[in-house]
Amino acid sequence: SIEAACLRGIPESCLAAGNFYKNRSSRTFQELKRAKLLFAKGCRQNNGESCGALASLKAAMPNFDAELAKKIEAEKKLAQQKAEVASQQAARKSVEEACESSEPCRKKKASCERKAKDCADYGLCFEAGNCGTPKNPLLAMELYDKACNAKSDAGCYKLSYSHRYGRGIVED
C-alpha cells in the first residue's frame, strides 16, 4: 500500500498517503492526525511537497492539536463511561440472579455464602441509591431479608439495623 511504502522510507508515498487521508469526504480527526503524521514523515525525508502539505494543514487548522487532544480525551471518557455502565450492569445482573433464589442455604457452602453476601451487598446499593440503582429502602429490606434467610451475617445485621432504626419499614 501507499502508506506502507511511506513507512518504508519512500517520501513521495508519504505525500500521496497523507493526501488520501486529508481529502476524504468523511474525514475524522483521527484521519487528519494520520495525514499530519504522514506529511511530517515525508517532510523529514526532504520531500518539499510533503512539507508544503504539512504547513497547509497546520495553517488551515491552527488549533488542530488542541482540538484533537480534546476530541481524543472526550472519546476516552465516553468509552470509560460505557465500560463502567456495562460493568455495573453485568455486576447487577449477576447479583440479581444470586438474589432470585430465596431458598435458604441448607449447608455451609462457599458458593451459597457468596450468593447471600452478594444479595446483602445489592441491598446496600438500593439503600444508598448507588451502584447504578435508584434509592429504594423497601427493596433493600427485601434483599436483606433474602440474604438473612440464606444465612448471611451481613444481611441479618442490616435487616435488624433497618428494623431498629425504621429504615425501609412501612409505618402503621
Side-chain angles (χ1 to χ4, degrees), residues 1-20:
S1 77
I2 298 172
E3 190 171 346
C6 171
L7 297 175
R8 285 193 309 267
I10 302 171
E12 294 80 16
S13 58
C14 295
L15 175 66
N19 279 329
F20 169 77

Side-chain angles (χ1 to χ4, degrees), residues 7 13-14 30 36 40 67 73-74 89 100 102 115 122 128 148 155 164:
L7 297 175
S13 58
C14 295
Q30 293 294 348
K36 182 180 172 188
E67 289 176 32
E73 191 60 36
Q89 288 173 339
E100 284 301 310
S102 58
K115 284 182 179 183
Y122 196 42
C148 187
R164 183 174 191 175

Side-chain angles (χ1 to χ4, degrees), residues 104-143:
C105 293
R106 304 277 183 239
K107 299 177 184 173
K108 281 274 191 183
K109 289 184 179 176
S111 64
C112 192
E113 290 172 1
R114 180 73 233 161
K115 284 182 179 183
K117 182 172 180 338
D118 285 348
C119 200
D121 289 346
Y122 196 42
L124 288 171
C125 290
F126 279 100
E127 184 177 349
N130 57 21
C131 311
T133 63
K135 189 170 184 173
N136 187 336
L138 289 172
L139 182 55
M141 283 285 294
E142 288 179 32
L143 293 169

